[in-house]
Each structure stands twice: as structure tokens, then as C-alpha cells.
Amino acid sequence: MSGRIEGRVAVITGGASGIGLGIARRFVAEGASVVVGDINEAALKAVTDELEGAASARLADVTREDDLEALCAQAVTAYGRLDIGVNAAGIGAFSNVVDQDVETWDAVMAINVRGVMLSVKHEARAMIAAGNGGSIINIASLNAIQPAEGMGVYCAGKAAVDMLTKVAAMELGPHGIRVNAIAPGLVDTPLAALLNQTPPIKAAFVENAPLGRTGSPDDVAGVALFLASDDASWMTGDLVRLDGGAHTKRYPELAKILGAIDGAIDG
Ligand code: NAI
């Protein structure tokens, strides 16, 4: 039996860990070849070892335009085409606005916003050149639509990704390229280790979700697969909420639970 994205080729930024890695595994299981870009060299090697012939890897920092151009070119050189772009590279940081330092703000925005823009730009250029259309999937966050105290830069950046997704969908639709975003709630990954491994915080997130649990990278991979596949062929410019229903409630008050919020949780 052939897979749901048999023969397609995907670029996945941040694909060496967490959500991006879960998507890489699922895409390969469904017949795709993947080119994984990340800044973690050891983790990249582990991905290519695990996925053998179906994956290739490249050191790529999403804040660097040359790296993204080369990453997309590698997909075309290695596999002859580019059909799918998944933009998962991202970091987080905690600070109240009154204490926010500019260096951290700029560093998070450079990866979480400029990095997504540059990824979309070069994925779309490769897709337009090939003339086969494509599907681009940005990993935003529930925090694109739900504010969280102490997470100003993360929330603002993810809201920017939501809006950029919509604008790109308008511009790229005529080329047959769909652009959507996924807004996950809390997912168990290295990035969110502090939240997942602090019992009262984890409990607050679980209590806040009608389905009574947080998410796994595989939960996100299922929705990414749908968006990448022809089943979503009339869908673009959307932000898909994927959070066990957490958006129907309120966000856990992290500062109250922790006592104070200060420090980075970058992965
Ligand atoms: P993770 O830390 O497991 O994976 C992120 C990957 O991005 C890592 O492999 C890291 O090396 C890579 N990366 C970081 N900076 C990079 C750069 N400049 N260039 C290229 N790669 C870079 O984190 P996770 O949780 O899988 O995060 C993936 C995306 O999902 C992020 O955009 C994050 O904001 C988003 N997200 C995560 C949630 C969670 O609860 N874990 C919830 C909602 C959204």
C-alpha cells in the first residue's frame, strides 16, 4: 500500500528534535523523502541514521538566509523536487514586559519570526520554479491566539507567524501553494521541558484541556500530514488549533504557580 504523501519531498526546519522530528518520522512512514535542517549537528546525524535513505540533513540556521536557500536547493538536488515545507525551528523565553531585555527579544524574534519568513520565502521560490504547487506548514502555537503572562516575546512572535501565514497564503495561492499553520498547546519536547517536568505546571495544563492531557509530537505530526496531503487541497491561510480543547478555557497562570518567571527555556 502506498503512503499518503508517497514520492513527495519535504524540507523540515528544526527537524532534529521534538515536533519537527515527529513530523519527519511520520512523513517518511507515509512515503516522503525529507531534508532536515537544524543547528544541532549531533541530533541531525541521529535523524539520518534512524531514517536511513529517506532523509538527508544539513546544518541550517533559520536566521541565515543563505542557509535556507541552500537547504531548499539540497532537496531539489538530492530528490529532484520540493513539495512540502515544514517550519518548526523555534525557541522560547520567559520575561515580564517590564523586565524584557532587548537582546533576548531580538534573538527570539530572529528565529521565531524572521526564520519562518525566510523559510517560507525560499521554500516557495523552489516550489514556484518547479511549477508543481506545494504545501507549507508553519508551526505557530496556541500562544498565537492565547496570551500568557511572562511570555510576551513568544506570544507576539507566534501571532506574527499566524498573520504571515495568511498573507503568504494570499500571495502564493495563485501558484498552487497552500500555506497553513498549526497552533499546538503544550507538547512534550525538550523546548517545553520546564513546563512538562514541573508537576504543578503540568497539572494546570492537563486540567485546562477538556481532553485531559497534553500533546505529543505524534499528535502534531498527524495534523501536519493532513495539511501536507491532497486531503487538504482546498485549505490555505488557516491556523489549526491542536490543543485538546485548551483554547476553550484560560491559560494556566505560570507566574503564580512558579512564584516568579525569569529565565530562558530555549531548546
Ligand atoms: P525542540 O527544542 O524539541 O525542537 C526545536 C528544534 O529547533 C531543535 O532541534 C533546535 O536545535 C532547532 N533550532 C533552534 N534554533 C534554530 C535555528 N536558529 N535554526 C535552525 N534550527 C533551530 O522544540 P519543539 O517543542 O519541538 O518546538 C518546535 C516548534 O513548535 C517551535 O516553533 C515551538 O515554538 C513550537 N511549539 C512548541 C510547543 C511545545 O509545547 N513544545 C507548543 C507550541 C508550539
Side-chain angles (χ1 to χ4, degrees), residues 147-205:
E149 287 167 75
M151 292 173 64
V153 65
Y154 190 77
C155 294
K158 292 300 184 177
V161 169
D162 177 24
M163 188 52 82
L164 181 70
T165 299
K166 291 172 167 58
V167 172
M170 294 172 83
E171 295 175 0
L172 295 170
H175 297 282
I177 299 169
R178 298 182 293 102
V179 191
N180 292 288
I182 302 176
L186 183 60
V187 180
D188 196 358
T189 69
L191 175 78
L194 174 69
L195 304 183
N196 279 293
Q197 288 165 22
T198 306
I201 294 184
K202 175 86 167 183
F205 276 97

Side-chain angles (χ1 to χ4, degrees), residues 14 17-19 38-39 60-62 88-90 139-140 154 158 184-185 187 189-191:
S17 174
I19 290 171
D38 205 291
I39 50 172
D61 180 339
V62 295
I139 307 302
Y154 190 77
K158 292 300 184 177
V187 180
T189 69
L191 175 78

Side-chain angles (χ1 to χ4, degrees), residues 11 68-69 72 76 82-87 116-138 168-169 171-173 175-179:
V11 158
L68 289 163
E69 195 171 3
C72 295
V76 178
L82 178 61
D83 307 290
I84 304 161
V86 176
N87 303 318
V116 172
M117 179 276 291
L118 289 173
S119 302
V120 172
K121 174 178 174 179
H122 288 285
E123 290 157 1
R125 283 187 173 191
M127 291 172 183
I128 291 168
N132 300 317
S135 173
I136 296 175
I137 301 155
N138 296 325
E171 295 175 0
L172 295 170
H175 297 282
I177 299 169
R178 298 182 293 102
V179 191

Side-chain angles (χ1 to χ4, degrees), residues 220-259:
V220 185
V223 174
L225 174 63
F226 165 68
L227 290 173
S229 77
D230 292 342
D231 287 339
S233 63
W234 204 41
M235 190 167 170
T236 197
D238 218 330
L239 178 79
V240 182
R241 297 171 198 198
L242 180 67
D243 58 10
H247 67 273
T248 62
K249 298 206 186 181
R250 55 192 290 214
Y251 207 74
E253 291 187 56
L254 303 179
K256 246 184 221 168
I257 300 169
L258 282 174

